Amino acid sequence: QVRLMQSGGGSVQTGGSLRLSCTYSGYTYLMGWFRQAQGKEREGVAAIRTGSGSPFYGASAKGRFTIAQDNAKNTLYLQMNRLEPEDTAMYYCAAGTGEAMLQRSSYDTWGQGTQVTVSS
């Protein structure tokens, strides 16, 4: 059984950077980051296949966010640069075995969430 523990997040001004971390136990085929802004659906931000290390990004993350894994530390990261107020949301780490990397249905284990707030 996979378990996830998130850390990081916080408040930053427009243009700033934050890094989210997700420490995991157990093996998982797919890991990803999702976010949910108030009143909106949860959306996939970035995902990675743990075996190959191949990343995949949603449109909102391309060119600004980087997903990475450190197998020695069993930790998944999301480096977020050039943050904008539209990035304000609760961010969730997730693990799963599905094929569609940014679909919620591909994931069955979720972290506790961490708030990211970007002010203008």
Side-chain angles (χ1 to χ4, degrees):
Q1 181 180 358
V2 177
R3 294 184 179 182
L4 307 174
M5 180 61 67
Q6 295 181 226
S7 60
S11 298
V12 68
Q13 291 188 327
T14 298
S17 299
L18 285 172
R19 189 177 77 164
L20 306 181
S21 300
C22 176
T23 302
Y24 55 89
S25 60
Y27 175 78
T28 181
Y29 173 68
L30 176 67
M31 295 198 74
W33 290 99
F34 286 72
R35 69 185 185 186
Q36 188 165 16
Q38 193 169 7
K40 294 188 177 181
E41 295 287 324
R42 191 171 298 188
E43 65 166 336
V45 175
I48 190 166
R49 299 213 181 276
T50 59
S52 64
S54 300
F56 188 79
Y57 296 96
S60 62
K62 285 182 179 177
R64 299 188 301 131
F65 296 179
T66 302
I67 187 170
Q69 61 182 55
D70 185 333
N71 291 330
K73 296 181 178 180
N74 277 12
T75 302
L76 181 74
Y77 300 101
L78 184 68
Q79 177 66 44
M80 304 184 292
N81 298 326
R82 305 203 311 274
L83 284 161
E84 303 166 352
E86 293 73 23
D87 297 313
T88 295
M90 185 71 78
Y91 283 70
Y92 296 91
C93 172
T97 58
E99 291 299 320
M101 295 178 75
L102 292 183
Q103 286 191 9
R104 289 185 63 176
S105 58
S106 291
Y107 299 85
D108 50 28
T109 303
W110 296 85
Q112 79 275 21
T114 185
Q115 179 68 37
V116 170
T117 302
V118 185
S119 57
S120 58

